[in-house]
Amino acid sequence: MKVNFGLTAKDYSKYRAGYPDELYKRLLKYNIGLENQSILDLGTGTGYLARQFAIQGAQVTGIDIASELIKEAEKLDKKYNIKINYEVCKAENLPFSSSTFDVVSAGQCWHWFDTSKVIKEVRRVLKPDGKLLICHFDWIPINDNVVAKTEDLILKYNPSWQGARGTGIYPQWLTDVGSGGFSNIETFTFDVAVEYTHEAWRGRIRASAGVGASLPAERVKEFDRDLAELLNKNYEDPIFVPHRVFCLICVL
């Protein structure tokens, strides 16, 4: 399935919920997100993970292959009066000198990478004893909740989509980083409910890999009409969507 998140840039910027504050509080306990810390955020998108680090005073660089997303990220940065340096490039071929960053982060993107190549690049650009952070913030399908029903509709329109029925837990990451030479591997997870209006949930789903980033524009419109009908018939507005944060931290 060919995916291009640049096609979803507007919805991505407007409707994707940011990580909960609790994540950043916990990361501070691992000395991640400190003032003046140099952080490289891989697959930054619209600054989904990076922006709060910058707000906390870190020196942040974000990279992504979609220039459309970075343009949206720069607009959002202006609202917060912060500066993040952006580069359009692949995570497998980073345009930075060796031993440059204290932390490399990757949010909502690790599964898109050629992990063996990315880990080599991460090792190269990290300073000695630098840290790698990988995290996800996923909606969780439980029985026949709104997430499960929405995923069923995505699969109706896009049978090639492989993101359904996830648990929000990623044990493969431990193997990836362990095989890549990282140590002191730790993980944590916690759940939160995110409030969405019907409009916002539709926008969030349009901004997903299985819909706006992979379907033709006319099919996206058809899908959106069907999702609106499903929500109006079955759910009060707003809805509360269960999400799970899963985070891995390791040391070079």
Side-chain angles (χ1 to χ4, degrees):
M1 188 181 75
K2 187 176 181 179
V3 175
N4 178 5
F5 280 105
L7 299 173
T8 72
K10 297 296 184 182
D11 281 336
Y12 199 110
S13 175
K14 184 175 182 179
Y15 293 114
R16 281 214 173 201
Y19 286 95
D21 292 342
E22 176 65 22
L23 172 64
Y24 297 96
K25 292 178 183 178
R26 294 195 185 200
L27 291 177
L28 286 173
K29 298 177 182 179
Y30 292 89
N31 293 321
I32 294 177
L34 304 178
E35 188 173 2
N36 294 321
Q37 192 173 51
S38 58
I39 300 178
L40 172 62
D41 188 43
L42 307 180
T44 196
T46 58
Y48 192 59
L49 179 63
R51 188 164 295 106
Q52 182 59 37
F53 290 144
I55 291 171
Q56 292 172 191
Q59 304 300 310
V60 184
T61 299
I63 68 110
D64 203 284
I65 61 172
S67 60
E68 301 93 336
L69 294 180
I70 286 180
K71 288 178 182 177
E72 293 299 318
E74 290 172 336
K75 293 177 185 177
L76 291 171
D77 292 347
K78 289 181 180 179
K79 294 181 180 180
Y80 290 90
N81 195 29
I82 59 169
K83 175 63 177 177
I84 295 175
N85 298 312
Y86 293 106
E87 296 278 352
V88 179
C89 65
K90 291 185 176 181
E92 293 86 352
N93 187 19
L94 297 171
F96 307 111
S97 300
S98 299
S99 302
T100 298
F101 298 100
D102 299 307
V103 175
V104 173
S105 61
Q108 310 299 120
C109 59
W110 192 254
H111 56 297
W112 298 117
F113 298 151
D114 182 329
T115 54
S116 61
K117 292 181 179 179
V118 168
I119 285 177
K120 288 180 181 178
E121 281 291 84
V122 170
R123 288 177 57 87
R124 182 181 66 81
V125 301
L126 273 176
K127 297 176 182 178
D129 298 320
K131 295 178 180 179
L132 171 61
L133 159 69
I134 312 173
C135 58
H136 259 237
F137 185 43
D138 295 341
W139 65 57
I140 303 297
I142 302 172
N143 299 323
D144 289 328
N145 70 348
V146 66
V147 176
K149 293 295 187 182
T150 300
E151 290 186 344
D152 289 343
L153 187 60
I154 296 174
L155 288 169
K156 177 182 175 181
Y157 276 83
N158 192 349
S160 298
W161 181 59
Q162 298 182 0
R165 301 307 186 260
T167 64
I169 303 293
Y170 297 90
Q172 179 60 42
W173 296 355
L174 283 79
T175 301
D176 292 342
V177 299
S179 300
F182 286 84
S183 61
N184 296 340
I185 303 168
E186 296 187 45
T187 66
F188 64 80
T189 183
F190 62 92
D191 291 1
V192 297
V194 179
E195 180 179 342
Y196 283 91
T197 64
H198 285 189
E199 177 190 358
W201 182 243
R202 288 164 53 200
R204 171 64 185 91
I205 301 303
R206 289 196 305 270
S208 68
V211 183
S214 56
L215 292 177
E218 188 55 40
R219 291 291 282 169
V220 174
K221 291 180 181 178
E222 293 172 5
F223 169 88
D224 187 57
R225 287 195 293 266
D226 282 355
L227 180 56
E229 182 179 358
L230 183 153
L231 293 172
N232 289 332
K233 285 185 176 180
N234 297 283
Y235 301 97
E236 294 184 358
D237 195 353
I239 56 176
F240 292 85
V241 181
H243 282 64
R244 179 163 296 141
V245 173
F246 182 77
C247 189
L248 180 149
I249 299 162
C250 54
V251 179
L252 180 60

